[in-house]
């Protein structure tokens, strides 16, 4: 379902710093704009509560996940809160295996081909290319030439509506969007404006 969601709209919302009391309103404007994967990093305030609220608020075709997942214990807490996707900044095999054992979708962070192949061998559904600012589209193109056909690379870090084109041309099928989409203190209306700009750029480029 994760790959299907990204095929519909390849943009993943990363809501670092989200407060539980704003989760429902922010989630609703993102869903209305077309987002179908939303991630709450665990270094946000009360992240499990926000995940629970988003899961209860949004339709079933929107996947809710957790980012910055660092331990198997956190994987269990995410599942208990209703989260469906585990997103990591790294590629720790213990966390990967815990996520797969829990039946959750998995997007580990990778920065080398060795990490990418190892993560795929552990059952990663998509690969988070992090940090994208350091990697660039040339790296994407080189990796996709050797990774298994159908591998989804999602750059995260510094992605704007204006710089998606070069990555898409290199074969990217999705992006993780952080501070360009949502920052703590933004109103739902501000998030909606940003979300629509990203979705419009995605549709135009695809």
């Amino acid at each position: 379902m994760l790959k299907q969601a990204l095929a519909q709209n390849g943009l993943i919302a990363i809501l670092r710093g989200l407060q539980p009391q704003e989760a429902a309103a922010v989630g609703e404007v993102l869903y209305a704009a077309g987002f179908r994967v939303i991630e709450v990093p665990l270094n946000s305030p009360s992240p499990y509560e926000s995940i629970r609220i988003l899961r209860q608020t949004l339709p079933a075709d929107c996947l809710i996940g957790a980012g910055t997942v660092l331990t198997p214990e956190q994987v269990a807490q995410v599942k208990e809160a209703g989260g469906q996707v585990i997103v990591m900044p790294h590629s720790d095999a213990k966390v990967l295996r815990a996520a797969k054992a829990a039946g959750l979708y998995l997007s580990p962070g990778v920065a080398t081909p060795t990490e990418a192949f190892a993560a795929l061998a552990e059952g990663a559904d998509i690969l988070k290319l992090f940090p994208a600012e350091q990697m660039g589209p040339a790296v994407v193109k080189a990796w996709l030439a050797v990774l298994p056909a159908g591998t989804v690379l999602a750059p995260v870090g510094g992605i704007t509506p204006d710089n998606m084109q070069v990555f898409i041309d290199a074969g990217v099928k999705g992006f993780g969007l952080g501070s360009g989409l949502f920052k703590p203190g933004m109103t739902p209306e501000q998030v909606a404006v940003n979300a629509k700009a990203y979705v419009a750029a995605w549709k135009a480029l695809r």
Side-chain angles (χ1 to χ4, degrees):
M1 187 175 164
L2 178 58
K3 284 187 178 178
Q4 293 92 310
L6 290 175
Q8 183 177 342
N9 178 3
L11 305 177
I12 300 168
I14 303 170
L15 305 181
R16 192 177 306 279
L18 183 74
Q19 301 272 0
Q21 63 268 26
E22 60 188 350
V26 170
E28 283 169 349
V29 298
L30 289 170
Y31 186 86
F35 282 78
R36 292 298 178 268
V37 185
I38 297 175
E39 163 198 337
V40 179
L42 293 186
N43 53 4
S44 304
S46 305
Y48 302 109
E49 183 60 21
S50 291
I51 289 168
R52 188 173 289 108
I53 291 166
L54 286 166
R55 181 64 284 155
Q56 291 169 350
T57 302
L58 298 176
D61 66 336
C62 187
L63 293 174
I64 308 302
T68 319
V69 180
L70 304 178
T71 67
E73 292 75 20
Q74 289 175 333
V75 171
Q77 289 174 284
V78 170
K79 183 173 184 179
E80 187 181 343
Q84 301 150 284
V85 187
I86 297 297
V87 185
M88 306 156 57
H90 63 333
S91 196
D92 184 333
K94 294 193 300 294
V95 182
L96 286 137
R97 290 167 190 164
K100 296 313 288 186
L104 304 179
Y105 295 107
L106 181 56
S107 176
V110 295
T112 68
T114 299
E115 290 176 347
F117 278 105
L120 291 171
E122 293 288 355
D125 295 287
I126 67 172
L127 299 177
K128 170 182 170 179
L129 193 70
F130 178 76
E133 297 101 325
Q134 292 182 17
M135 314 296 278
V139 170
V140 171
K141 196 168 184 179
W143 284 25
L144 288 174
V146 296
L147 289 170
T151 298
V152 175
L153 282 180
V156 178
I159 302 300
T160 70
D162 298 325
N163 67 12
M164 292 196 294
Q165 177 77 65
V166 289
F167 285 101
I168 289 174
D169 289 346
V172 159
K173 300 283 196 300
F175 296 96
L177 309 176
S179 59
L181 175 67
F182 170 87
K183 287 179 187 163
M186 279 186 180
T187 65
E189 292 75 19
Q190 289 171 311
V191 178
V193 170
N194 294 338
K196 288 171 187 172
Y198 273 109
V199 171
W202 170 260
K203 288 180 177 175
L205 296 172
R206 298 288 293 162

